Amino acid sequence: MPDDMFATIDTAIRETAGVTDALLAEGGEHADLASTVAFSLAKQRKQAPVKIAQDLVAELKKRPELSTVTIEAKGPYINFIFGKAYVSDVIRAAVKPGYGNLETKTQRVVLEHTSANPNGPLHVGHIRNSIIGDTLARAFRKAGYPLEVEYYVNDMGRQIAIVVWGFNNLDSTQLPGEKEDAHIARIYIAANREIEKDEGITQQVNLLMQRVESGDPATVEKFKKEVSRCLDGFRVTMKNLNVAHDKFVWESDFIRNGSTEEIIGRLKEKPQAREDETLYLDLSEFGFENKYVIRRSDGTSVYAARDLAFHAWKGKNFDRVIDVLGADHKLIGAQLQCTMKVLGEKVPEIVFFEFVSLPEGSMSTRAGKFISADDLITEVRKRAFDEVTVRRPELPEDERRKIAASVGLAAIRYDIVKVSPEKSTVFDWKEALDFERQSGPYIQYAHARACSILEKADDVTECFELETEQEIALAKQIARFPGIIKRVVAELRPNLLAIYARELADTFNSFYHFEQVLKSEGKVRDRRLTLVLAVQNTLKEALETLGIDAIRSM
RNA sequence: GGGCCUGUGGCUUAGCCUGGACAUAGCGCCGGGCUUCUAACCCGGAUGCCGGGGGUUCGAAUCCCCCCAGGCCCGCCA
């Protein structure tokens, strides 16, 4: 609903009842908005809530600014139902391209997501990060924010050193047709097996890490080569998932440009700094009991130090810094935020998501226990192609493949984004391959159905005067969209959009089965076609914000 | 041992931050609907001590405390 409507009613209640909080909220099935202010006034006025509600309604009805709103007392509740003029305005806005776009902002936002270690392919856990992040990114752009999306490339960690050791010491020939990231995983897994057998290898790995930090050209080159190859693999996977980054930022750059040393220097001056063999921060005054190590005894920096430099850099270039991270990063994320505050730097906001596990236990790249995103994409597309072939046998094969790719993508993205990030999940093939209710394809189908009607209608004479209960219900569902976008970016909860899109599809499907569009005549036909156009446009905008193709036929 | 997250019909899940009108939907189950705009659909039905126990409140799935269960974290890894 438009904010001004909320604000108008909110103010009216506060003035009429003489309260500071109108207790105004969405009225669900009862009303567009409802207030429970009568409850809270009962004690003070020594009157029954029902009586207070009745009295307030009588007063509110006198206000000219509420003349188009139906106001009624239902027991102690005060219900507000918007008039037809409101519904007309909504549809008028919703038929225009870009419906749901909010006003342009000047606040610059940087969003980091995925940032998986380049030691093996993206698996179904990593892409939860990608999909949450990419959906947030799309929502931020829709909400009018200038946005940069970054991938932080961890190119100098122990895992990468292990990969490089493997390429140096093991048979590392790439198999025919083997994707780069899968190749790297194979060598990484094999190298880890060798390390388990021979502890001496760890020394060689440490040596590699020291060399890369000191900038030894040959070692740096080797690290860069394998990391780049892995990222090439990631790019293919992410493209298939409709996930995009504006910039890949390399961790090692923050060593080479001196900013890590600079941050370490500043940290040394802080009262929380402690130096013995290592340099670490004592953050116990903020509730962190463990040491926050910044530099190893051999003089090399740790991930935390480079991460601080990276975030300081982001804070200088952007007004709002957001990271999407797995729940295993909660502690270090909180320590990072705390340290940034100590340094007087901008504190990043962090969206955490809980783990995706397999029925047999948690995933592990090192142990080779994971389902890769590439395998998931292949399977889902195959299943989608079979489905399309059954439903549309008359279409040429390349057409069916195209639809299957879009349907498969929708199934994967929706399946992941619909769940609240704070919920841990167990990967389930049956659910991933389900194209029915509460799925991405279900919403695509509703959109394609609307497109089909519009196609057959030839011309649409716009008419915004809605009448029936089904029409009004659908229009009010459409009206919620801009508010949903606003909430997604304010609360950093992309699943709200997923739920909304499904509810809009539900409402449209009901409308479709109860109200004839093409077969009605005159004004009725005009207004219903206009409504279908509004739904189609809103579904399209919502799907695209979810990173799902709004295909016109399926 | 400590910290964080989660616990809602057989299964999955919304709502929880910002307390309010019969707790949201899907899968599965039972029954109905394709000579009708795309049935990847729609309509109806059964299924809930909202993990357990206390507390705050006129009112608690929602806020507070305790307990139980599961996940994650507590490294000179990232």
Side-chain angles (χ1 to χ4, degrees):
Chain A
M1 84 214 49
D3 295 336
D4 51 342
M5 189 65 100
F6 186 98
T8 305
I9 293 175
D10 192 71
T11 307
I13 295 170
R14 284 188 284 115
E15 287 177 6
T16 307
V19 292
T20 51
D21 186 348
L23 299 173
L24 191 62
E26 285 198 28
E29 67 212 88
H30 306 282
D32 293 310
L33 287 172
S35 168
T36 53
V37 74
F39 285 109
S40 62
L41 285 171
K43 201 176 265 180
Q44 180 195 329
R45 293 197 181 179
K46 295 198 172 71
Q47 284 179 328
V50 174
K51 167 86 164 79
I52 295 169
Q54 284 166 355
D55 292 348
L56 285 175
V57 167
E59 286 302 310
L60 287 164
K61 278 183 171 167
K62 292 179 191 160
R63 300 179 75 104
E65 75 271 25
L66 301 182
S67 60
T68 63
V69 181
T70 304
I71 308 168
E72 56 185 28
K74 266 272 171 64
Y77 298 90
I78 303 171
N79 290 340
F80 301 86
I81 299 157
F82 304 158
K84 296 221 169 102
Y86 163 80
V87 172
S88 300
D89 289 348
V90 165
I91 301 308
R92 222 179 284 276
V95 295
K96 296 197 183 95
Y99 175 58
N101 290 356
L102 307 182
E103 71 278 13
T104 304
K105 318 286 195 296
T106 54
Q107 192 187 29
R108 295 159 306 160
V109 179
V110 61
L111 178 68
E112 178 201 332
H113 70 75
T114 308
S115 302
N117 280 328
N119 60 347
L122 297 176
H123 60 54
V124 293
H126 296 128
I127 64 170
R128 189 172 190 190
N129 190 325
S130 308
I131 290 166
I132 289 170
D134 190 68
T135 307
L136 276 177
R138 289 165 186 273
F140 266 95
R141 294 208 161 106
K142 189 140 188 68
Y145 289 90
L147 178 75
E148 183 163 300
V149 182
E150 296 183 352
Y151 188 113
Y152 185 50
V153 184
N154 304 130
D155 63 332
M156 51 187 310
R158 179 168 295 274
Q159 282 94 330
I160 310 312
I162 292 171
V163 168
V164 170
W165 181 89
F167 274 91
N168 286 345
N169 296 278
L170 303 174
D171 174 17
S172 53
T173 321
Q174 188 168 9
L175 303 174
E178 189 176 38
K179 200 162 163 264
E180 281 68 21
D181 44 358
H183 179 209
I184 288 180
R186 188 162 59 78
I187 304 307
Y188 177 66
I189 293 163
N192 272 292
R193 292 228 177 90
E194 294 304 311
I195 290 169
E196 277 167 32
K197 282 187 277 182
D198 177 2
E199 291 207 356
I201 297 170
T202 304
Q203 295 308 314
Q204 300 175 38
V205 169
N206 288 345
L207 196 62
L208 282 170
M209 289 171 71
Q210 284 165 26
R211 283 198 189 142
V212 83
E213 176 142 350
S214 66
D216 173 59
T219 312
V220 167
E221 196 48 45
K222 272 181 189 153
F223 272 60
K224 197 171 191 111
K225 183 187 163 202
E226 300 312 333
V227 169
S228 298
R229 291 179 65 235
C230 200
L231 289 179
D232 288 343
F234 288 179
R235 284 197 182 91
V236 171
T237 306
M238 290 195 288
K239 188 162 192 293
N240 282 329
L241 291 172
N242 223 358
V243 169
H245 288 88
D246 300 306
K247 194 183 269 179
F248 282 70
V249 182
W250 291 60
E251 184 181 5
S252 58
D253 287 348
F254 294 92
I255 293 288
R256 274 192 259 135
N257 68 15
S259 61
T260 303
E261 259 320 302
E262 190 206 316
I263 279 279
I264 291 174
R266 285 169 61 194
L267 286 170
K268 273 189 195 165
E269 304 305 314
K270 294 293 163 191
Q272 293 82 7
R274 303 282 183 276
E275 228 172 336
D276 41 37
E277 305 257 293
T278 64
L279 172 68
Y280 68 93
L281 298 185
D282 176 3
L283 299 174
S284 57
E285 63 186 293
F286 305 105
F288 300 101
E289 296 310 325
N290 59 325
K291 293 179 178 181
Y292 189 48
V293 175
I294 302 299
R295 198 175 56 202
R296 298 190 183 93
S297 52
D298 67 4
T300 58
S301 62
V302 295
Y303 171 82
R306 297 163 231 144
D307 206 26
L308 285 164
F310 173 45
H311 280 87
W313 173 76
K314 289 200 276 192
K316 281 196 179 60
N317 294 300
F318 296 92
D319 301 307
R320 191 171 172 191
V321 179
I322 303 168
D323 296 340
V324 181
L325 297 173
D328 53 337
H329 287 67
K330 274 189 178 178
L331 178 59
I332 58 151
Q335 287 171 329
L336 171 76
Q337 288 172 319
C338 179
T339 307
M340 292 300 280
K341 202 169 180 180
V342 165
L343 285 167
E345 296 283 347
K346 194 161 291 147
V347 177
E349 298 164 64
I350 307 179
V351 179
F352 289 108
F353 65 94
E354 291 286 335
F355 266 45
V356 180
S357 58
L358 300 177
E360 57 269 31
S362 39
M363 278 184 277
S364 160
T365 302
R366 180 162 44 93
K369 288 198 311 190
F370 58 87
I371 294 173
S372 77
D374 293 331
D375 287 349
L376 173 63
I377 293 164
T378 304
E379 272 310 305
V380 172
R381 278 188 183 165
K382 203 182 290 171
R383 160 93 177 80
F385 181 73
D386 292 346
E387 191 71 32
V388 175
T389 301
V390 169
R391 291 164 189 281
R392 306 290 298 276
E394 77 285 2
L395 292 179
E397 187 180 328
D398 63 331
E399 188 71 21
R400 279 180 280 142
R401 291 232 177 270
K402 250 175 99 178
I403 294 173
S406 287
V407 166
L409 171 73
I412 294 171
R413 287 195 63 131
Y414 194 84
D415 189 48
I416 289 173
V417 79
K418 73 178 179 190
V419 182
S420 305
E422 67 271 16
K423 228 143 187 157
S424 49
T425 63
V426 177
F427 181 78
D428 181 343
W429 276 108
K430 188 177 163 288
E431 265 174 52
L433 298 175
D434 184 11
F435 303 149
E436 299 193 342
R437 295 279 302 227
Q438 301 205 340
S439 76
Y442 169 82
I443 302 164
Q444 285 179 308
Y445 190 77
H447 174 263
R449 175 181 262 172
C451 287
S452 172
I453 293 174
L454 295 168
E455 205 111 319
K456 292 195 166 107
D458 297 328
D459 59 319
V460 178
T461 307
E462 291 189 334
C463 171
F464 302 102
E465 313 306 316
L466 303 184
E467 292 290 340
T468 70
E469 201 180 314
Q470 298 279 347
E471 291 166 10
I472 306 277
L474 184 50
K476 285 184 174 172
Q477 194 65 260
I478 290 169
R480 295 176 58 211
F481 184 49
I484 294 291
I485 295 294
K486 198 172 175 182
R487 279 187 64 198
V488 167
V489 299
E491 302 174 27
L492 302 175
R493 282 165 59 198
N495 61 310
L496 295 177
L497 179 59
I499 304 290
Y500 168 75
R502 194 212 80 218
E503 286 174 347
L504 179 58
D506 285 346
T507 311
F508 174 58
N509 282 333
S510 284
F511 165 85
Y512 173 86
H513 285 276
F514 283 108
E515 309 278 38
Q516 293 287 346
V517 179
L518 294 175
K519 286 185 180 154
S520 45
E521 291 173 354
K523 279 212 106 104
V524 179
R525 186 175 190 272
D526 291 343
R527 72 175 194 241
R528 287 187 184 166
L529 271 173
T530 307
L531 188 54
V532 171
L533 181 61
V535 173
Q536 181 269 322
N537 189 45
T538 308
L539 282 171
K540 172 176 170 289
E541 296 290 342
L543 282 168
E544 286 174 354
T545 308
L546 288 167
I548 297 173
D549 301 324
I551 47 181
R552 300 190 67 84
S553 167
M554 63 188 278

